[in-house]
Amino acid sequence: VLRSGHCIEVAELIDVCWLEINGKYAMKKLTPGMDYQVKFVLKLNNNFNIDKPVTFSLTTPEGCKEEHKENMMQMPRNQIITINAGEFQTPRNNCGCGEVKYQMMNTDGFWKRGLVVIGVVIVPKYN
């Protein structure tokens, strides 16, 4: 993928039956007292096929877990989309302790294909 004159690496799902993407980010790198969203940045190719819901989740350092399922078969093809994994707030007295963890998963055993994972972004949430 070429973006602003720079090449970036992406992961493309060719044919797998187990999809599990995990990540984490240090809280100390975030502004104290802010609301944030964690979003997966994806592209669904024409041959996209994950016919069962995909689970997106977020876990805070305190162990609070937010989870929801998305039916991605109805989403647009050949364009970049974002799917919210969850939202959280950093403590006002952010000691920099711990990590926020996020996940995208579908392990139903059926073959999946046509998904391009561009990355994950953590962005401030503005009302």
Side-chain angles (χ1 to χ4, degrees):
V1 172
L2 184 62
R3 187 175 197 135
S4 302
H6 300 282
C7 289
I8 60 172
E9 285 190 42
V10 298
E12 183 174 358
L13 194 65
I14 305 293
D15 269 319
V16 300
C17 58
W18 184 285
L19 170 64
E20 183 175 357
I21 299 170
N22 296 292
K24 59 188 175 182
Y25 194 79
M27 294 288 278
K28 67 182 177 185
K29 295 180 181 180
L30 301 171
T31 302
M34 289 280 298
D35 292 325
Y36 286 94
Q37 295 177 315
V38 177
K39 298 178 179 235
F40 279 84
V41 182
L42 310 168
K43 180 181 166 196
L44 312 182
N45 291 334
N46 281 335
N47 67 335
F48 174 78
N49 184 34
I50 300 179
D51 59 353
K52 302 287 185 199
V54 175
T55 302
F56 292 86
S57 65
L58 178 133
T59 306
T60 65
E62 298 81 28
C64 297
K65 186 170 184 175
E66 182 179 332
E67 182 176 288
H68 70 280
K69 295 182 184 294
E70 294 280 347
N71 180 354
M72 297 173 62
M73 289 302 288
Q74 305 304 316
M75 295 182 179
R77 302 296 195 268
N78 292 318
Q79 58 184 300
I80 294 174
I81 61 170
T82 60
I83 298 179
N84 197 12
E87 301 175 359
F88 66 98
Q89 184 179 61
T90 54
R92 293 208 181 280
N93 59 348
N94 191 358
C95 67
C97 303
E99 301 166 322
V100 63
K101 298 176 184 175
Y102 47 87
Q103 183 177 64
M104 174 182 180
M105 185 162 53
N106 177 298
T107 58
D108 62 8
F110 294 99
W111 288 99
K112 302 154 191 43
R113 66 185 53 88
L115 172 68
V116 177
V117 180
I118 296 168
V120 174
V121 294
I122 299 174
V123 295
K125 180 183 175 191
Y126 296 103
N127 294 337

